[in-house]
């Protein structure tokens, strides 16, 4: 089956994300095309500010580069699905929830389509569209649209969130600092912080690949988070990097 240039470029981006730096020749061999074709693909991705050329190889443009939402959604998908399935156990009947723009939380939203008893608040356009087919009450915050995360941010969004009182908040993160979960976007930072303030319980949903990462902004201290839900238990070494009071939970 022939791969389109769009599909190949997407795969090239995945390859560079996984390996951090890949040579032009290696990419040509991997995708069975000429080096000239790869150079054209790289030039296209470079114009989108996703990749950078470096002496016969390509890298991501910068350490804190935010991947486009569609690319993030496809990464670690099995792990995200496992986390989403476990998160269902924490949602009681008739609960009010907040679902943020995380791609792991997106997988949870897909599982909530069959529920009909929930009030769900979100600033994610994609999550609101998925839940539109359910019989839950869905409230979309509105605000300034942010293309990278398909979400609404800004003063209008914050004002909407300051009027609600929620039972549970499900939030994603890009990594962890010494003091709490982190995010790369300042606009998403203030949204997450506000949601935690207005929720009885806050759960972080993230796969274990985030353990070695640290985003630019810490959006909450560990003591304000009730649980970090992952797809597997932490090793002793991984656990030692976090304060003892942080509660981790996995499917195992």
């Amino acid at each position: 089956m022939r791969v389109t240039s769009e599909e190949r470029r997407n795969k090239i981006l995945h390859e560079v994300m996984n390996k951090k730096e890949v040579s032009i020749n290696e990419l040509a061999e991997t995708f069975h095309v000429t080096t000239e074709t790869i150079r054209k693909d790289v030039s296209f991705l470079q114009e989108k500010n996703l990749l950078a050329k470096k002496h016969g190889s390509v890298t991501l443009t910068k350490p804190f580069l935010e991947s486009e939402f569609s690319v993030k959604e496809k990464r670690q998908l099995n792990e995200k699905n496992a986390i989403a399935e476990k998160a269902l156990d924490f949602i009681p009947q008739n609960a009010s929830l907040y679902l943020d723009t995380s791609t792991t939380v997106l997988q949870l939203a897909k599982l909530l389509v069959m529920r009909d008893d929930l009030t769900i608040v979100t600033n994610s356009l994609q999550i609101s569209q998925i839940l539109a087919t359910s019989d839950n009450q869905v409230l979309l915050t509105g605000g300034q649209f942010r293309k990278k995360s398909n979400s609404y941010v800004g003063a209008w969004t914050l004002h909407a969130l300051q009027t609600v009182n929620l039972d549970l908040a499900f939030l994603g993160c890009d990594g962890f600092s010494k003091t709490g979960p982190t995010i790369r976007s300042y606009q998403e930072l203030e949204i997450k912080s506000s949601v935690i303030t207005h929720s009885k319980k806050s759960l972080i949903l993230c796969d274990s690949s985030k353990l070695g990462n640290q985003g630019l902004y810490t959006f909450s201290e560990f003591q304000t988070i009730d649980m970090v839900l992952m797809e597997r238990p932490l090793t002793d070494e991984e656990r030692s990097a976090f304060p003892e009071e942080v509660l981790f939970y996995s499917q195992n």
Side-chain angles (χ1 to χ4, degrees):
M1 182 174 162
R2 187 176 180 180
V3 177
T4 66
S5 59
E6 182 179 357
E7 290 171 333
R8 186 177 59 252
R9 288 165 182 169
N10 192 33
K11 290 180 179 179
I12 288 171
L13 189 58
H14 275 265
E15 192 78 3
V16 179
M17 284 179 173
N18 289 332
K19 297 183 177 179
K20 309 304 180 186
E21 182 174 346
V22 188
S23 72
I24 295 293
N25 290 335
E26 185 180 348
L27 289 171
E29 291 176 6
T30 299
F31 299 106
H32 306 291
V33 295
T34 65
T35 55
E36 182 61 28
T37 297
I38 292 296
R39 287 191 179 94
K40 290 179 180 178
D41 291 335
V42 170
S43 293
F44 176 86
L45 294 168
Q46 190 176 23
E47 289 176 3
K48 297 290 186 181
N49 198 34
L50 296 172
L51 297 183
K53 294 179 182 178
K54 181 182 176 183
H55 304 299
S57 63
V58 290
T59 63
L60 296 177
T61 52
K62 49 187 174 180
F64 285 106
L65 173 68
E66 266 195 300
S67 306
E68 291 293 338
F69 190 86
S70 59
V71 176
K72 285 183 176 180
E73 185 181 353
K74 297 173 184 176
R75 298 172 64 188
Q76 309 290 332
L77 190 56
N78 290 336
E79 290 85 349
K80 291 173 182 178
N81 286 335
I83 294 166
E85 289 175 6
K86 179 52 62 178
L88 287 175
D89 296 342
F90 298 94
I91 304 176
Q93 290 289 314
N94 302 311
S96 57
L97 316 177
Y98 178 81
L99 303 181
D100 84 347
T101 60
S102 156
T103 54
T104 305
V105 176
L106 176 65
Q107 303 311 311
L108 173 59
K110 293 176 182 178
L111 299 179
L112 296 178
V113 170
M114 300 303 294
R115 297 280 294 263
D116 60 5
D117 59 298
L118 302 172
T119 299
I120 301 173
V121 180
T122 184
N123 68 324
S124 167
L125 177 61
Q126 193 163 354
I127 285 178
S128 71
Q129 291 171 335
I130 287 170
L131 291 171
T133 60
S134 78
D135 290 325
N136 297 299
Q137 183 180 11
V138 181
L139 305 175
L140 182 61
T141 62
Q144 178 184 349
F145 184 67
R146 183 171 183 265
K147 186 176 180 180
K148 274 190 174 181
S149 55
N150 286 338
S151 65
Y152 293 97
V153 296
W156 196 341
T157 309
L158 285 170
H159 178 73
L161 293 173
Q162 288 165 0
T163 64
V164 297
N165 297 293
L166 302 163
D167 295 317
L168 291 166
F170 291 98
L171 309 167
C173 70
D174 290 320
F176 299 92
S177 67
K178 292 181 179 180
T179 57
T182 63
I183 191 73
R184 293 184 176 95
S185 165
Y186 182 78
Q187 291 173 305
E188 297 286 349
L189 162 72
E190 55 186 359
I191 300 297
K192 290 177 185 287
S193 298
S194 180
V195 166
I196 291 170
T197 301
H198 291 86
S199 300
K200 293 178 182 177
K201 291 185 177 181
S202 299
L203 285 74
I204 300 294
L205 307 187
C206 71
D207 65 81
S208 56
S209 69
K210 305 294 177 62
L211 288 172
N213 298 339
Q214 180 174 301
L216 191 57
Y217 304 102
T218 300
F219 63 82
S220 172
E221 295 184 349
F222 282 122
Q223 57 261 38
T224 64
I225 298 297
D226 293 277
M227 184 181 296
V228 180
L229 185 56
M230 290 187 167
E231 85 283 0
R232 65 165 177 82
L234 274 65
T235 65
D236 291 341
E237 182 179 357
E238 289 168 340
R239 187 64 182 84
S240 66
F242 296 91
E244 292 184 3
E245 64 269 18
V246 182
L247 177 60
F248 284 89
Y249 192 88
S250 74
Q251 64 172 350
N252 297 329

